[in-house]
Amino acid sequence: MKFRSTRNVSSIVSLSEAIEQGLASDGGLFVPEFWPTFDLKSDLLNKKLDDLNLAEFAFEILKPFFRNDSLEPFLMEICSQTFNFPLPLKSIDAQACVLELFHGPTLAFKDFGARFLALCLEKIQTLNQKPKLILVATSGDTGGAVAAAFNEFTKIPVAILYPQNKISERQEKQLTCWGPQVHAFAVKGTFDDCQKMAKEAFQSVWWKSRFQLISANSINLARLLPQMIYFAYASLQYQKNNKKNAGLIIPSGNMGNATAALWAHKIGFPIEKIIFSHNANQTVLDYFQTEKWNIRPSVSTLANAMDVGNPSNFERIHDLYPELAELKKLAEVYSVNDEQISKIISDEKTIFCPHTATAVFVRNYKVSGNWIIVATAHPAKFDTIVEPLIHKKIEIPGELEKIISKKSTFTEINPLISELESYFKE
Ligand SMILES: *Cc1c(COP(=O)(O)O)cnc(C)c1O
């Protein structure tokens, strides 16, 4: 299989090239050239489902996407190491389940994509002689997942830019605890400043002459492919247990998960509907209502990992469904404000993180029928928001406990690319 840019159908690359490049040279995003189909009744898939062997299930589904690429021989190994933590699908009442994506090392769904990306990059035989450097600007969860994955599986250095004093203490710990391989930069500025510095580096001759810079954000194909797996798995499992198909309600920001769910539906998995639950950032809701794509500055909310005014993966969704009317047959959008998020966290028996609360709100107040609510992070990561609302302490999972007890190191810099450069000159 080859992959093409969303902006130019003749701009075609291999899987390995798409992963190393991140963004296509024309500024578009990589998408599969065609969609494989699966025999869902096959003994093989059903057996994997019964055994709960997620790594083998993933291997069967991802095989066509890896065909004829130099990564193909490593796919089973990559899947085994990516999908090696639990993926519970918990029934909460007669019609709804919660799919918990937060049992990885940094307690958010981003662990799946970050681990898969790190393992792919570790195996790719590059012709590029320059040292690789992963550069990420993060507003919270991405940086932690990427740092943990590259630290576990590779020797590739990682540089993380994050806005000082603008992320939670536990999120900061997940960026700064990894030792010399992961350089965390506390930027005296905003997330937008961090993103601007990263963009400047990617375009700068100075950086390009010294490093093979690689982006680890959710535009990278290697983050999206494994995200299809848990939606495929959950939809089949729900169908098996309930003799009915369910829809997915997905807390959405940059729309990587939303894209992966649409892809899982496209290759034939029994997903009845897909709902994007956004926080107060309404770019996608506006598009559904006006058919106009008007990006806006992001607004800060309790669900900070979804504070995105220009969801970059929407370009892939638009590529798959150029006609809004077609997309609307399958997908719906809701925007959930902070007050509604807080209400869900205080009211529900189960403790939800602020992101997951947007999906629970939609399911409780906006829709009826059979649903899988996608839980994107563990509430313990957002203790300062959740604990005052539930009036008790959240138990800290072992993975987070380990990280909290480590020593933090970071470098404070002004929001100037020259300050980042002087660090790498040494
Ligand atoms: C990143 C993130 C989201 C948003 O996911 P997208 O794929 O960018 O839409 C939602 N919830 C949590 C906890 C996240 O970390």
Side-chain angles (χ1 to χ4, degrees):
M1 165 135 8
K2 299 277 191 213
F3 296 82
R4 65 167 172 84
S5 163
T6 46
R7 299 199 185 163
N8 180 354
V9 290
S10 57
S11 176
I12 287 176
V13 299
S14 71
L15 177 68
S16 296
E17 286 167 330
I19 294 171
E20 275 198 312
Q21 287 176 26
L23 205 63
S25 52
D26 58 17
L29 306 186
F30 291 114
V31 293
E33 223 188 350
F34 65 91
W35 296 100
T37 50
F38 294 89
D39 176 9
L40 302 186
K41 302 243 158 16
S42 86
D43 286 351
L44 194 62
L45 283 185
N46 281 302
K47 191 164 168 298
K48 305 298 173 209
L49 210 60
D50 288 337
D51 300 348
L52 260 181
N53 194 331
L54 197 62
E56 290 174 8
F57 180 78
F59 173 75
E60 291 305 323
I61 292 164
L62 293 174
K63 218 162 41 175
F65 296 94
F66 277 65
R67 190 151 296 142
N68 295 331
D69 190 81
S70 59
L71 282 174
E72 190 177 9
F74 304 107
L75 179 58
M76 188 61 232
E77 186 185 336
I78 292 170
C79 289
S80 308
Q81 290 185 282
T82 301
F83 296 96
N84 71 345
F85 47 84
L87 179 62
L89 180 64
K90 292 184 179 163
S91 185
I92 51 167
D93 55 45
Q95 293 184 301
C97 288
V98 175
L99 177 64
E100 293 184 356
L101 301 181
F102 54 67
H103 295 277
T106 68
L107 308 183
F109 78 86
K110 292 188 174 78
D111 284 324
F112 289 99
R115 292 166 75 77
F116 198 85
L117 172 66
L119 288 158
C120 287
L121 284 172
E122 181 62 15
K123 300 288 181 208
I124 289 174
Q125 296 295 320
T126 183
L127 296 175
N128 199 319
Q129 295 299 310
K130 287 181 236 108
K132 287 188 176 109
L133 175 66
I134 309 294
L135 181 61
V136 221
T138 185
S139 59
D141 288 343
T142 298
V146 168
F150 280 80
N151 183 259
E152 181 173 344
F153 297 126
T154 78
K155 295 202 157 37
I156 306 171
V158 178
I160 299 174
L161 305 171
Y162 70 94
Q164 190 168 34
N165 303 328
K166 294 202 172 57
I167 66 174
S168 84
E169 221 172 286
R170 286 182 184 175
Q171 282 176 322
E172 183 172 29
K173 197 79 201 193
Q174 290 183 331
L175 305 178
T176 56
C177 72
W178 302 103
Q181 184 187 351
V182 179
H183 315 264
F185 295 92
V187 177
K188 295 179 202 159
T190 62
F191 170 62
D192 290 341
D193 292 324
C194 298
Q195 207 161 24
K196 190 164 152 271
M197 288 166 74
K199 275 198 184 135
E200 279 172 16
F202 275 95
Q203 286 158 1
S204 135
V205 176
W206 188 88
W207 285 87
K208 279 194 216 163
S209 67
R210 280 162 186 79
F211 299 103
Q212 183 193 1
L213 278 187
I214 296 172
S215 159
N217 72 23
S218 71
I219 54 152
N220 198 303
L221 191 64
R223 283 191 48 185
L224 289 191
L225 293 174
Q227 291 178 213
M228 286 193 295
I229 300 308
Y230 44 71
F231 295 132
Y233 157 80
S235 69
L236 273 190
Q237 194 75 58
Y238 191 99
Q239 188 191 53
K240 237 183 152 106
N241 297 345
N242 301 276
K243 310 287 175 262
K244 277 200 190 104
N245 295 354
L248 294 166
I249 311 179
I250 305 178
S252 294
N254 210 24
M255 301 199 84
N257 255 342
T259 303
L262 290 163
W263 287 6
H265 173 268
K266 180 74 189 172
I267 59 176
F269 285 86
I271 298 165
E272 196 64 20
K273 273 232 154 227
I274 300 174
I275 294 181
F276 315 133
S277 65
H278 287 264
N279 56 23
N281 289 278
Q282 298 199 353
T283 306
V284 182
L285 182 69
D286 285 353
Y287 173 73
F288 269 60
Q289 290 172 345
T290 65
E291 212 160 323
K292 293 200 174 67
W293 187 250
N294 284 326
I295 60 173
R296 319 163 159 208
S298 64
V299 294
S300 299
T301 73
L302 294 177
N304 71 355
M306 295 164 27
D307 291 347
V308 180
N310 182 12
S312 42
N313 272 300
F314 197 80
E315 186 161 337
R316 287 189 165 111
I317 298 179
H318 191 254
D319 184 82
L320 192 60
Y321 292 100
E323 296 297 329
L324 177 59
E326 285 304 307
L327 178 60
K328 277 184 170 173
K329 286 183 191 161
L330 175 63
E332 287 174 32
V333 188
Y334 292 94
S335 163
V336 178
N337 65 34
D338 277 356
E339 205 182 313
Q340 294 163 329
I341 290 173
S342 303
K343 181 174 165 48
I344 290 294
I345 295 172
S346 354
D347 288 359
E348 288 291 314
K349 260 201 327 278
T350 312
I351 307 172
F352 293 109
C353 89
H355 311 80
T356 308
T358 63
V360 179
F361 180 86
V362 170
R363 135 77 205 213
N364 287 3
Y365 295 105
K366 300 289 179 186
V367 295
S368 60
N370 300 78
W371 295 101
I372 296 167
I373 295 164
V374 177
T376 49
H378 194 288
K381 279 186 92 159
F382 304 94
D383 54 320
T384 52
I385 296 170
V386 176
E387 286 180 353
L389 291 167
I390 59 172
H391 307 293
K392 61 177 177 206
K393 290 266 173 219
I394 308 169
E395 210 180 306
I396 302 174
E399 294 286 2
L400 185 58
E401 194 105 59
K402 260 186 264 162
I403 287 175
I404 291 175
S405 67
K406 287 189 188 175
K407 192 172 149 280
S408 279
T409 34
F410 57 88
T411 310
E412 241 180 48
I413 57 172
N414 288 305
L416 295 168
I417 188 75
S418 55
E419 293 207 6
L420 191 64
E421 272 170 25
S422 38
Y423 184 89
F424 282 93
K425 273 176 191 151
E426 289 157 19

